[in-house]
């Protein structure tokens, strides 16, 4: 009797499978078949969206910070930031001056960004520009306290100045050095743009920008 019942059960299951309505998804017996079927049935636009979202999630976040008296450094770094953003190498979160960055706090900047990309000039006898002084001061204080707020972060510095003055690269050099002392890793060599050498300056700026990208 048990044999008869078992045979009947098998026959019933077999008949049920044969009676599946046309168009019903077949049962797949392994993950390879299942994945292939899902990919085949999923609309191309949806697959593309998934791929784009994945790429966006992996794109490193960069904050662009500038210090500028005459506007040269600000204009240059904003143009470069637009190119980096278009190229998709960096997710440029914002472009702000040093004082605005300092208000957020160094620890917050490091926590929210993978890299800090800076363009700054020097003013008078090597001082920081008016809109960058707070950021440089924050770096000084963190270094004095032996703190490492930028541990795990990376940075790049683009300097602007006039070689007529001996201290024309003082602020960019200090920024680069202090960021490193605060735990940041220098991802590219600092570039120093002398406004008195326009052709060379454009070439050096382009080389630096390509390295950052």
């Amino acid at each position: 009797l048990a044999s008869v019942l078992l045979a009947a059960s098998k026959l019933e299951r077999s008949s049920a499978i044969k009676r599946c309505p046309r168009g019903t998804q077949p049962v797949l017996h392994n993950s390879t078949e299942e994945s292939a079927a899902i990919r085949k049935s999923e609309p191309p636009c949806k697959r593309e969206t998934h791929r784009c979202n994945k790429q966006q999630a992996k794109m490193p976040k960069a904050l662009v910070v500038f210090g500028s008296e005459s506007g040269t450094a600000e204009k240059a770094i904003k143009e470069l930031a637009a190119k980096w953003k278009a190229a998709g190498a960096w997710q440029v979160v914002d472009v702000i001056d040093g004082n605005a960055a300092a208000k957020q706090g160094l620890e917050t900047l490091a926590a929210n960004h993978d890299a800090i990309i800076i363009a700054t000039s020097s003013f008078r006898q090597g001082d920081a520009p008016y809109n960058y002084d707070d950021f440089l001061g924050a770096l000084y204080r963190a270094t004095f306290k032996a703190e490492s707020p930028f541990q795990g972060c990376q940075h790049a510095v683009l300097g602007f100045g006039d070689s007529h003055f001996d201290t024309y690269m003082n602020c960019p050099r200090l920024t680069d050095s202090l960021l490193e002392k605060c735990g940041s890793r220098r991802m590219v060599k600092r570039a120093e743009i002398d406004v008195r050498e326009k052709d060379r300056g454009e070439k050096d700026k382009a080389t630096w920008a390509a390295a950052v990208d």
Side-chain angles (χ1 to χ4, degrees):
L1 179 61
S3 299
V4 173
L5 290 175
L6 179 60
S9 176
K10 289 182 178 181
L11 179 61
E12 182 179 355
R13 288 199 300 271
S14 176
S15 299
I17 292 174
K18 290 180 180 179
R19 290 194 299 270
C20 282
R22 181 172 297 179
T24 302
Q25 291 291 340
V27 177
L28 303 174
H29 301 287
N30 59 63
S31 58
T32 302
E33 287 179 291
E34 184 176 5
S35 298
I38 291 174
R39 287 196 301 270
K40 186 175 180 180
S41 62
E42 190 178 62
C45 58
K46 186 176 181 181
R47 295 200 300 269
E48 186 66 27
T49 301
H50 288 172
R51 185 157 53 247
C52 290
N53 290 340
K54 188 176 181 181
Q55 291 173 349
Q56 183 73 10
K58 289 184 177 181
M59 193 181 298
K61 296 180 179 180
L63 176 67
V64 176
V65 179
F66 63 85
S68 185
E69 284 284 342
S70 64
T72 301
E74 178 182 357
K75 179 182 178 182
I77 201 64
K78 283 183 175 180
E79 290 176 351
L80 294 178
K83 291 179 180 178
W84 293 326
K85 190 172 183 179
W90 291 98
Q91 183 183 345
V92 179
V93 177
D94 206 351
V95 181
I96 58 178
D97 64 48
N99 291 349
K103 287 181 181 179
Q104 297 183 31
L106 302 186
E107 292 82 2
T108 300
L109 295 179
N112 294 335
H113 307 92
D114 300 294
I116 308 297
I117 304 176
I118 295 174
T120 183
S121 58
S122 291
F123 181 61
R124 292 176 180 167
Q125 301 302 315
D127 297 332
Y130 77 97
N131 57 6
Y132 188 80
D133 191 58
D134 292 349
F135 183 72
L136 189 64
L139 292 178
Y140 264 121
R141 289 189 292 275
T143 302
F144 180 77
K145 296 177 182 179
E147 297 174 345
S148 301
F150 285 107
Q151 190 69 44
C153 198
Q154 54 184 342
H155 71 274
V157 176
L158 177 63
F160 289 85
D162 187 339
S163 58
H164 175 75
F165 303 97
D166 293 338
T167 55
Y168 80 114
M169 281 294 160
N170 192 51
C171 186
R173 291 170 183 173
L174 279 173
T175 297
D176 197 9
S177 176
L178 291 172
L179 279 168
E180 186 175 33
K181 291 179 180 179
C182 285
S184 180
R185 181 181 67 84
R186 185 183 298 105
M187 60 180 177
V188 298
K189 183 180 178 181
R190 181 184 65 254
E192 300 183 345
I193 310 303
D194 185 354
V195 296
R196 290 179 176 268
E197 298 184 19
K198 186 175 181 181
D199 291 340
R200 179 180 176 182
E202 288 297 321
K203 181 179 179 181
D204 290 347
K205 183 177 67 175
T207 299
W208 179 85
V212 171
D213 195 9

